[in-house]
Amino acid sequence: MGTFKAWVVEKTEAGQSLAFRDFDAADLMDGDVTVRVTHSTLNYKDGLALTGKSPVVRRFPMIPGIDFSGVVETSDHPEYKPGDAVVLTGWGVGETHLGAYAERARVKGDWLVPLPQGLTAEQAMAIGTAGYTAMLSRMALEAHGLTPAHGPAIVTGASGGVGSVAVALLARAGWHVIASTGRASEAGYLKDLGAAEILDRAELAKPGKPLGKERWAAGIDAVGSTTLANVLAMTRSDGAVAACGLAQGMDLPTSVAPFILRGVSLLGINSVTTPQAKRRQAWARLAGELDLDTLAAMTTRVRLEEVGRLGEEILAGRVRGRTVVEVG
Ligand code: NDP
């Protein structure tokens, strides 16, 4: 295989460095499937890895990029053969295992899922880890027994990747979606995705009371910190909030009041190590239930060479919706 092009993070005495360069295929890590990567994406965690702002990269040198779609080149795994179209999200790829911002990846076949029927490789990465996490969040709310008949659903970080797909998925399922955003200029975009109301995120950002007026029955929170605390404080009795992100912060300055006085539930979402059965169920549901025109409307394309400059952009909250990285 020789060499291939890749973004590579190195650790130096001055900190972390990032370069787009040739990578020797002999230096790929162990795995039973080698994939020709055709598409990747940009997620918040990729921003952390590209910039080194948070220590998500645990091995150097590292090829960042936590998700990809592509075509199997070689396989010793019983389920995959050359030519198969596959998708990967999570499992520490781009953190502890060489990742997706490269023309080749070698991974464990057990981490892959077949490209879901009805999606192209590009659409799968337009969804990517962020969209897949939005679906896991909706599934958690449904498993809790919540339906649109229980009341509105709030989505925080709504203009971001998880948020945009969450708005679209909830609206498609009939929810009255309240989209919380710091970008008033994106109100039209969010309404086009299906949001019924826009809430200025400043209303949720500052420390609030342990309990507030009951405003929504369900929530998908990509933000954490005081925002999540306020979302919980304003959740209706027996409602639930799926917590998946930390764009505002990792802290959660709340009290037990929403839990013991209103029976509110906090549902944790971890997309990285989701078991295979649930993973495939989420992807099949995304292929069947996400409107592909709506997905296209939230997606921007960049080439692999451009991805290096986008880490700072996503951490600054300046990236709208989803970004597909074209590798092939
Ligand atoms: P994005 O950057 O695309 O979206 C985050 C959004 O949060 C921004 O667009 C912005 O939305 C809002 N935001 C940013 N900074 C702040 C702030 N200081 N206070 C309040 N809101 C803010 O990232 P992703 O959608 O890729 O990821 C969102 C979060 O979910 C991240 O924390 C990520 O790590 C996490 N995540 C977790 C996963 C899991 O398995 N649990 C999987 C995938 C993501 P707006 O401008 O509309 O206000």
Side-chain angles (χ1 to χ4, degrees), residues 129-282:
T129 299
Y132 160 70
T133 301
M135 177 51 94
L136 290 178
S137 301
R138 200 185 96 184
M139 285 164 61
L141 296 172
E142 289 168 354
H144 193 74
L146 290 166
T147 69
H150 290 95
I154 184 166
V155 174
T156 63
S159 306
V162 173
S164 292
V165 182
V167 168
L169 282 174
L170 288 169
R172 191 95 200 273
W175 288 85
H176 178 100
V177 179
I178 302 171
S180 165
T181 182
R183 293 182 256 182
S185 57
E186 299 298 358
Y189 162 78
L190 290 166
K191 289 209 164 151
D192 286 347
L193 298 186
E197 288 179 54
I198 309 295
L199 182 68
D200 184 345
R201 83 178 190 206
E203 279 193 46
L204 301 173
K206 296 213 181 85
K209 295 184 183 151
L211 287 178
K213 186 171 171 242
E214 297 183 36
R215 294 173 74 177
W216 35 77
I220 295 181
D221 176 64
V223 170
S225 193
T226 44
T227 297
L228 176 54
N230 286 321
V231 166
L232 289 166
M234 289 184 252
T235 301
R236 288 186 185 177
S237 290
D238 300 318
V241 179
C244 61
L246 43 62
Q248 186 184 2
M250 212 180 205
D251 58 327
L252 179 53
T254 186
S255 76
V256 295
F259 310 117
I260 65 172
L261 299 178
R262 289 196 180 146
V264 168
S265 294
L266 182 56
L267 312 173
I269 306 297
N270 169 19
S271 68
V272 177
T273 53
T274 317
Q276 269 289 343
K278 193 170 179 187
R279 232 166 235 275
R280 290 179 188 223
Q281 188 193 4

Side-chain angles (χ1 to χ4, degrees), residues 7-328:
W7 282 99
V8 182
V9 174
E10 306 265 12
K11 196 170 193 173
T12 63
E13 277 187 11
Q16 204 174 287
S17 73
L18 177 69
F20 188 56
R21 65 164 168 85
D22 290 328
F23 194 90
D24 195 335
D27 293 333
L28 281 170
M29 292 167 75
D30 286 349
D32 47 8
V33 181
T34 303
V35 177
R36 180 171 59 80
V37 177
T38 60
H39 299 85
S40 182
T41 80
L42 180 72
N43 298 280
Y44 191 88
K45 198 185 263 178
D46 295 317
L48 296 175
L50 288 165
T51 60
K53 287 248 162 77
S54 188
V56 295
V57 175
R58 307 277 176 177
R59 179 249 192 222
F60 297 91
M62 173 54 62
I63 298 174
I66 65 168
D67 45 11
F68 64 73
S69 55
V71 179
V72 172
E73 274 194 342
T74 62
S75 170
D76 292 321
H77 189 278
E79 200 178 338
Y80 298 102
K81 59 180 188 323
D84 286 349
V86 291
V87 173
L88 181 139
T89 64
W91 299 114
V93 167
E95 300 179 73
T96 54
H97 191 96
L98 292 174
Y101 292 154
E103 292 171 325
R104 296 287 182 287
R106 184 175 299 136
V107 296
K108 287 188 183 170
D110 289 347
W111 294 347
L112 296 166
V113 298
L115 178 69
Q117 269 196 342
L119 293 180
T120 63
E122 179 178 334
Q123 287 164 338
M125 282 300 104
I127 294 169
T129 299
Y132 160 70
T133 301
M135 177 51 94
L136 290 178
S137 301
R138 200 185 96 184
M139 285 164 61
L141 296 172
E142 289 168 354
H144 193 74
L146 290 166
T147 69
H150 290 95
I154 184 166
V155 174
T156 63
S159 306
V162 173
S164 292
V165 182
V167 168
L169 282 174
L170 288 169
R172 191 95 200 273
W175 288 85
H176 178 100
V177 179
I178 302 171
S180 165
T181 182
R183 293 182 256 182
S185 57
E186 299 298 358
Y189 162 78
L190 290 166
K191 289 209 164 151
D192 286 347
L193 298 186
E197 288 179 54
I198 309 295
L199 182 68
D200 184 345
R201 83 178 190 206
E203 279 193 46
L204 301 173
K206 296 213 181 85
K209 295 184 183 151
L211 287 178
K213 186 171 171 242
E214 297 183 36
R215 294 173 74 177
W216 35 77
I220 295 181
D221 176 64
V223 170
S225 193
T226 44
T227 297
L228 176 54
N230 286 321
V231 166
L232 289 166
M234 289 184 252
T235 301
R236 288 186 185 177
S237 290
D238 300 318
V241 179
C244 61
L246 43 62
Q248 186 184 2
M250 212 180 205
D251 58 327
L252 179 53
T254 186
S255 76
V256 295
F259 310 117
I260 65 172
L261 299 178
R262 289 196 180 146
V264 168
S265 294
L266 182 56
L267 312 173
I269 306 297
N270 169 19
S271 68
V272 177
T273 53
T274 317
Q276 269 289 343
K278 193 170 179 187
R279 232 166 235 275
R280 290 179 188 223
Q281 188 193 4
W283 275 107
R285 290 193 61 180
L286 282 159
E289 296 173 38
L290 184 60
D291 181 75
L292 294 179
D293 290 334
T294 308
L295 179 66
M298 68 176 85
T299 304
T300 307
R301 290 184 196 82
V302 298
R303 294 190 319 277
L304 180 61
E305 300 88 292
E306 297 173 82
V307 85
R309 67 175 170 80
L310 294 176
E312 298 281 357
E313 292 295 300
I314 193 161
L315 296 189
R318 287 195 293 263
V319 171
R320 178 175 94 174
R322 301 285 301 130
T323 305
V324 167
V325 179
E326 295 175 330
V327 179

